[in-house]
Amino acid sequence: FASSLAGFIEEPERKYCFECDSEEQCQEWVEALKRASYEFMRRSLIFYRNEIQKMTGKDPLEQYGISEEARFQLAAPK
């Protein structure tokens, strides 16, 4: 089984081909890549949110009514 994925933002013309032993394994790879991308964007949002709050004293998400949503919070230290 093989799955072609579109290129990354930095290299939109470049393509990647992943080969797996089963369709199930192929789907697991696709889902893992999607989760990794989401987590990267989430961490970036949290970082810049905190930087803006330090500079302005205001939460930039507050105006959208989502500042308290758990998905935009840093994970509690373990």
Side-chain angles (χ1 to χ4, degrees):
F1 291 86
S3 178
S4 292
L5 299 175
F8 293 97
I9 291 172
E10 300 82 18
E11 303 176 83
E13 70 286 345
R14 187 171 183 178
K15 305 289 184 233
Y16 297 86
C17 183
F18 295 87
E19 293 186 9
C20 301
D21 295 329
S22 68
E23 186 173 352
E24 180 180 281
Q25 192 180 48
C26 182
Q27 287 303 314
E28 288 174 6
W29 267 105
V30 169
E31 289 305 313
L33 290 167
K34 286 179 183 176
R35 283 191 307 272
S37 177
Y38 172 82
E39 187 59 26
F40 173 78
M41 295 298 284
R42 181 184 162 279
R43 289 178 183 270
S44 294
L45 176 119
I46 290 169
F47 172 80
Y48 289 113
R49 174 188 178 199
N50 289 335
E51 290 299 304
I52 291 169
Q53 194 164 10
K54 284 181 203 172
M55 294 171 71
T56 66
K58 292 184 178 182
D59 183 348
L61 298 181
E62 191 172 24
Q63 63 183 324
Y64 301 105
I66 57 174
S67 62
E68 297 303 319
E69 285 191 33
R71 64 186 167 160
F72 300 125
Q73 305 297 319
L74 290 171
K78 293 181 180 183

